[in-house]
Every structure is written in structure tokens, then in C-alpha cells.
Amino acid sequence: MSKVIIIGAGGVGNVVAKKCAQNDEVFSEVLIATRTVSKADKIVAEIHEHFPNSRAVFSTRAVDADNVPALVELFREFQPELVINVALPYQDLTIMDACLEAGVHYLDTANYEPRDVAKFEYSWQWAYRERFEQAGLMALLGCGFDPGATNVFTAYHAKHHFQAIEYLDIVDCNNGNHGKAFATNFNPEINIREITANGRYWDNGNWVETRPLEISQDIYYPKVQTRTSYVLYHEELESLVINFPTIKRARFWMTFGESYIRHLNVLEGIGMTSIEPINFRGQQIAPLEFLKAVLPAPESLAENYTGQTCIGVQAKGIGKDGQPNVHFVYNVCDHAATYKEVQAQGVSYTTGVPAMIGAMLMLQGIWQKPGVYNVEEFDPDPFIDAMNRWGLPVDQLGGIELVRD
């Protein structure tokens, strides 16, 4: 039985908290800390309504995740074993600093990126390795779905199906419908910055840069349908090509509908996706921050969401028998089913469940050693087993190449 703090009370924070309530054999006390405490209070009220038999004790607190002294004071008062960070990626480093000062383990779902530069990479967080090692603390980075479960799927490929992975394709399809003209499934600032940035993929020891949404192909997503998918740069590629050095090429693909792309092109064309502040009536405001304020909150999409997500990893290379092999490991998640279970849409669910699982494995000592780590550096089997138990069943497809060269 363990005490944890969840920082963040958006769509993902909601899922993490409710999965902790379900898993009360591991999580005994949970504090949800966020800038807007009323959002955390709403989650706790829904836990009491939907999971009345949970033995986990929940409380809430207002905190500014940019304020290290305030975080340290909160951590020392509550004395958690672990902080689960599902706040904004801009706040990763301040929360890591507070964990070091207070002596608390750390987990997040997305790597750090500066608020004023559309650039995300692990270098800032990897720089904390020695400090966490010396403190006897562990930081687990990118433990959502992608990154997170996709890293686990890659490690599973390497452990069970391949002597050498040579070609890796991570695919992410949201074949859902939320009924809105335009909305993002997670934080609009992060989502739009990611999509409008140049793409990158790994090819024979070098990063190849592409224009936004320049490369596409139609990909069949099992149990869902065929969808046009686009190459983006995604953070898990950075660690995977290091931890699996046999990889010759690694790409990340994501689906977008024509309507979404049309809206995004218009918004970008009129400057609404810019992160450069402008002076508006005497105040400095980034157009993207204003756009975030007028778009629907991702958690508000959940109730009427229909359709499924399909996220997986295709690996090609030399199989365990020494012969060429191709294998696909994936999950399909239903939006309506996740709303019925935890009042969340599938994108939040697929991020929040792996965060709870990673926290559980750390607290149980199954994934536990001092330092800063990415998910693929641990045994994938306990994580896969937990995905099957906690709502994200894992499927496999062998011998069929879904993503073409």
C-alpha cells in the first residue's frame, strides 16, 4: 500500500486517479494536486460515485507546478513514495527538481519541452541521471502510450521475436468522432505544436527532417480500418534508436482526417498556431494560448465520443530463428467503453492507464533502480500482463507487413 501524488487534473489525470482507485491493493492514499483545485475535486467526487467500494483515500490540493518551493513543501507534508506527473511538459523539470529535494520517485508521460520553443527532446531530463542515482531515486520518463506502451512493445519485440530489429514503425490511429468541427484530443498547445513542427525519422544513423505532414501512406489498422497516416517526429524515437542500436530506420505515423487538416491549415495561415507572443490591449499573449482557451477542453469530448483508437508497433528484422521476420503488437481501445468505465475518451485512457501501470511496477519494486530511465529499459512482460488486466488488451499479428517501405 503506497501514497502517491498525481500532478494534473485534466483528461489523463482523471484516468490515472480512477485507475488508482480501482487498484487499491497498491494505491492506498492519492493526493491530486493542480492549479485549479475544483477540477481535482470533481474527479474525487466521481470516484466516490463510481467506485464507492475503493479503499484508496483521495484528497486534493492547489499547487503551482512551476514553483519548486511550493512543490517541495507539498511533497514533504504529504510524504508520497512517488509523484505521477501528468501536468504540462513545460513543468517536467521543476517537478523533477522538487522530487530530488524532497526525496521522492518520479514518473511522467511526456518529455520536457521549453514553453517558448517548439522543441521536445530527452536531453534536458537525461541530464538528471547522476543526481537521481546519487539520491537513490528513480525517474521513469514517458510512461503513457506513445511514448510508453510503444516503447514496451518494442522491447517485447526484441525479447520474444527478434535477434535484431532493423526497421521500426510506430502507428497511431484515432478512428473516433467527437462531433466537434475542430478539437484536439489532448492539450491543444502540445498537440498543435507537435503537428505543425517539421517531421523527423531515423535512417541509417542520421535524422532525416521532413516538412509537416509531407510523407503519408494508407495503413491498415487491425479491427479498425485503413486510414491515411502521416510521418511526425515523436519523442520515443530518440530513446529507442539508442537502446536498440540495430535499428536502421525508425518512423512514427499518425492519422488525421481531411477536415482536421483543413482547419489546421487555416489556423496556421492566419497565425493562430504561433507561440510568439503579440501585444493585445497591453498584454503579451501567444496566439496558440488564446486558441487553446477557445477550443473545447479535451476532457469535455468524452461523453459523446464514438469509435476506436489503434496504436501499435511494427518491427522488421532478423527473427529468433535467424530468418527475416515482421511482427505487429498493438492495442485497440473503444471511446464509448472508456467513457462508461472512467468518464474519459480513449486518447486520455490510453495515456492514463500506462501511467498507473508504470507507477504500480515502480512501487512494487518490479521496475525499480536509481537513475533516470525510459520505459524500454525494463522487462516488458510485467507491463504487458498489466495492460491485459487493467483495460488495454494487447494483440499481435505476425507475418503481415502493414506499413510499407
Side-chain angles (χ1 to χ4, degrees), residues 1-4 20-21 24 27-32 44 47-48 54-59 78:
M1 304 286 279
S2 302
K3 298 172 66 173
V4 301
C20 288
D24 58 5
F27 300 94
S28 56
E29 294 184 55
V30 180
L31 171 64
I32 308 173
V44 173
I47 288 171
H48 292 155
S54 175
R55 295 169 296 171
V57 177
F58 284 81
S59 56
F78 189 71

Coordinates of all heavy atoms in Angstrom, one line a residue, residues 1-4 20-21 24 27-32 44 47-48 54-59 78:
M1 N 0.8 -1.2 0.0 CA 0.0 0.0 0.0 C 0.9 1.2 0.0 O 1.8 1.4 0.8 CB -0.9 0.0 1.2 CG -1.8 -1.2 1.4 SD -3.1 -1.2 0.2 CE -4.3 -0.1 1.0
S2 N 0.6 2.2 -0.9 CA 1.5 3.3 -1.2 C 0.8 4.6 -1.3 O -0.4 4.6 -1.8 CB 2.4 3.0 -2.4 OG 3.1 1.8 -2.3
K3 N 1.5 5.7 -0.9 CA 1.0 7.0 -1.1 C 1.6 7.7 -2.4 O 2.8 7.6 -2.5 CB 1.3 7.9 0.1 CG 0.7 7.4 1.4 CD 1.2 8.1 2.6 CE 0.8 9.6 2.6 NZ 1.2 10.3 3.9
V4 N 0.8 8.3 -3.2 CA 1.3 9.0 -4.4 C 0.6 10.3 -4.5 O -0.5 10.5 -4.0 CB 1.0 8.1 -5.7 CG1 1.7 6.8 -5.6 CG2 -0.5 8.0 -6.0
C20 N -6.1 4.3 -10.2 CA -5.6 4.1 -8.9 C -6.7 3.6 -7.9 O -6.4 2.8 -7.0 CB -4.9 5.3 -8.4 SG -3.3 5.7 -9.2
A21 N -7.8 4.2 -8.1 CA -9.0 3.8 -7.2 C -9.3 2.4 -7.4 O -9.6 1.7 -6.4 CB -10.2 4.7 -7.5
D24 N -6.7 -0.5 -5.6 CA -6.4 -0.1 -4.2 C -5.6 -1.1 -3.4 O -5.3 -0.8 -2.3 CB -7.8 0.2 -3.5 CG -8.7 -1.0 -3.5 OD1 -8.3 -2.1 -3.9 OD2 -9.8 -0.9 -3.0
F27 N -2.4 1.3 -4.3 CA -2.5 2.7 -4.1 C -3.5 2.9 -2.9 O -4.7 2.8 -3.0 CB -3.0 3.5 -5.3 CG -2.1 3.3 -6.5 CD1 -2.4 2.3 -7.4 CD2 -1.0 4.1 -6.7 CE1 -1.6 2.2 -8.5 CE2 -0.2 4.0 -7.8 CZ -0.5 3.0 -8.7
S28 N -2.9 3.3 -1.7 CA -3.7 3.5 -0.5 C -4.1 4.9 -0.3 O -5.3 5.2 0.1 CB -2.9 3.0 0.7 OG -1.7 3.7 0.8
E29 N -3.3 5.9 -0.6 CA -3.6 7.3 -0.5 C -3.2 8.1 -1.7 O -2.0 7.9 -2.1 CB -3.0 7.9 0.8 CG -3.5 7.4 2.1 CD -2.9 8.1 3.3 OE1 -3.0 9.3 3.3 OE2 -2.3 7.4 4.1
V30 N -4.0 8.9 -2.3 CA -3.7 9.6 -3.5 C -4.1 11.0 -3.3 O -5.3 11.3 -3.0 CB -4.5 9.0 -4.7 CG1 -4.2 9.8 -6.0 CG2 -4.2 7.5 -4.9
L31 N -3.2 11.9 -3.5 CA -3.4 13.4 -3.5 C -3.4 13.9 -4.9 O -2.3 13.7 -5.6 CB -2.4 14.1 -2.6 CG -2.4 15.6 -2.7 CD1 -3.7 16.2 -2.1 CD2 -1.2 16.2 -1.9
I32 N -4.4 14.5 -5.4 CA -4.4 15.1 -6.7 C -4.1 16.6 -6.6 O -4.9 17.3 -5.9 CB -5.8 14.9 -7.4 CG1 -6.2 13.5 -7.5 CG2 -5.7 15.5 -8.9 CD1 -7.6 13.2 -8.0
V44 N -12.5 13.5 -7.7 CA -12.7 12.8 -6.5 C -14.2 12.5 -6.2 O -14.5 11.4 -5.8 CB -12.1 13.6 -5.3 CG1 -12.4 12.9 -3.9 CG2 -10.6 13.7 -5.4
I47 N -15.1 9.6 -8.3 CA -14.5 8.4 -7.8 C -15.5 7.9 -6.7 O -15.8 6.7 -6.6 CB -13.1 8.6 -7.2 CG1 -12.1 8.8 -8.4 CG2 -12.7 7.4 -6.3 CD1 -10.7 9.2 -8.0
H48 N -15.9 8.8 -5.8 CA -16.8 8.3 -4.8 C -18.1 7.8 -5.3 O -18.7 6.9 -4.8 CB -17.1 9.5 -3.8 CG -15.9 9.9 -3.0 ND1 -15.7 11.1 -2.5 CD2 -14.8 9.2 -2.7 CE1 -14.5 11.2 -1.8 NE2 -14.0 10.0 -1.9
S54 N -13.9 1.4 -3.3 CA -12.5 1.6 -3.3 C -12.0 1.9 -1.9 O -12.5 2.8 -1.3 CB -12.0 2.6 -4.3 OG -10.6 2.8 -4.2
R55 N -10.9 1.3 -1.5 CA -10.3 1.6 -0.2 C -9.3 2.7 -0.3 O -8.8 3.2 0.8 CB -9.7 0.3 0.4 CG -10.6 -0.8 0.7 CD -9.8 -2.1 1.0 NE -9.1 -2.5 -0.2 CZ -8.2 -3.5 -0.2 NH1 -7.9 -4.2 0.9 NH2 -7.6 -3.9 -1.3
A56 N -9.0 3.1 -1.5 CA -8.0 4.2 -1.6 C -8.6 5.5 -1.1 O -9.8 5.8 -1.4 CB -7.6 4.4 -3.1
V57 N -7.8 6.3 -0.4 CA -8.3 7.6 0.2 C -7.7 8.7 -0.7 O -6.5 8.8 -1.0 CB -7.7 7.7 1.6 CG1 -8.1 9.1 2.2 CG2 -8.3 6.6 2.5
F58 N -8.6 9.6 -1.2 CA -8.3 10.6 -2.1 C -8.4 12.0 -1.4 O -9.4 12.2 -0.6 CB -9.2 10.6 -3.3 CG -8.8 9.5 -4.3 CD1 -9.2 8.2 -4.1 CD2 -8.0 9.8 -5.4 CE1 -8.8 7.2 -5.0 CE2 -7.6 8.8 -6.3 CZ -8.0 7.5 -6.1
S59 N -7.5 12.9 -1.7 CA -7.6 14.3 -1.3 C -7.1 15.2 -2.4 O -6.6 14.7 -3.4 CB -6.8 14.5 0.0 OG -5.5 14.1 -0.2
F78 N 2.9 15.7 2.5 CA 2.1 14.5 2.3 C 3.0 13.2 2.3 O 2.5 12.2 2.6 CB 1.5 14.6 0.9 CG 0.5 13.5 0.5 CD1 -0.7 13.5 1.2 CD2 0.8 12.6 -0.4 CE1 -1.6 12.5 0.9 CE2 -0.1 11.5 -0.7 CZ -1.3 11.5 -0.1

